[in-house]
Amino acid sequence: MNKRERLWSRYWAIRDNHHPGHCTPILWHLAMGGDTMAMVELSSTFSRPGRIFERFTQAGLAFRAFRRGDATGAQHLAMNAFNIGDLGQYRHWLGKAARLGDNDAARELRRFEIRLPHEDAALIGRKRPYKSFDFPEAE
């Protein structure tokens, strides 16, 4: 197992299995080393979305991950746009994520719903009940 894999293993053990330690410094180390998954994971720890040009915000880290070819970064940018009510940017970033191979983003883009079932959608008045197609593995 290489160093990167050991760090990820330690991160997941701390975060999910409640092993002793702090997991955020591990994310910082991996993200500074260019790990796109760490960039996206670290962006989820910040409270405010920020802007793409601000390096250490949700949007900034997700954008850098997207620029390195990570579809999850584009999907995070799409959800940030949806959560502030910018449906044009929501569609734009869904398209970018779909082009990078994110099947969920491609499905969302085809359907292009302006109401979603998650709790953040309720905060901006765009919540809807869950539907059967929200759980594709059950189909």
Side-chain angles (χ1 to χ4, degrees):
M1 201 183 318
N2 64 25
K3 181 179 180 178
R4 180 180 169 275
E5 291 169 349
R6 282 193 314 273
L7 284 170
W8 274 113
S9 176
R10 175 116 174 93
Y11 170 77
W12 293 117
I14 293 169
R15 192 185 125 202
D16 294 341
N17 299 332
H18 307 293
H19 285 212
H22 297 285
C23 56
T24 307
I26 296 170
L27 282 180
W28 277 100
H29 180 77
L30 288 165
M32 291 298 188
D35 188 313
T36 59
M37 191 167 90
M39 290 177 193
V40 173
E41 189 75 21
L42 181 62
S43 76
S44 300
T45 66
F46 297 128
S47 59
R48 71 179 192 95
R51 297 179 184 266
I52 287 174
F53 60 83
E54 296 172 328
R55 296 179 58 132
F56 300 109
T57 60
Q58 284 179 6
L61 285 167
F63 181 71
R64 276 157 189 72
F66 158 72
R67 291 290 297 227
R68 290 176 171 249
D70 190 318
T72 310
Q75 199 273 342
H76 276 246
L77 290 167
M79 292 316 309
N80 281 345
F82 179 87
N83 290 338
I84 62 170
D86 187 348
L87 297 180
Q89 284 294 306
Y90 170 58
R91 185 179 198 107
H92 170 80
W93 288 110
L94 277 180
K96 297 270 188 188
R99 274 185 239 115
L100 286 174
D102 186 338
N103 294 330
D104 292 334
R107 187 172 36 256
E108 277 185 55
L109 186 60
R110 277 193 305 275
R111 203 171 273 126
F112 193 67
E113 294 186 70
I114 58 172
R115 299 195 178 284
L116 293 177
H118 61 78
E119 292 303 315
D120 287 340
L123 298 175
I124 60 169
R126 294 193 174 278
K127 183 167 171 61
R128 67 157 170 80
Y130 281 98
K131 297 180 181 176
S132 61
F133 59 75
D134 289 329
F135 308 101
E137 58 275 350
E139 293 175 351

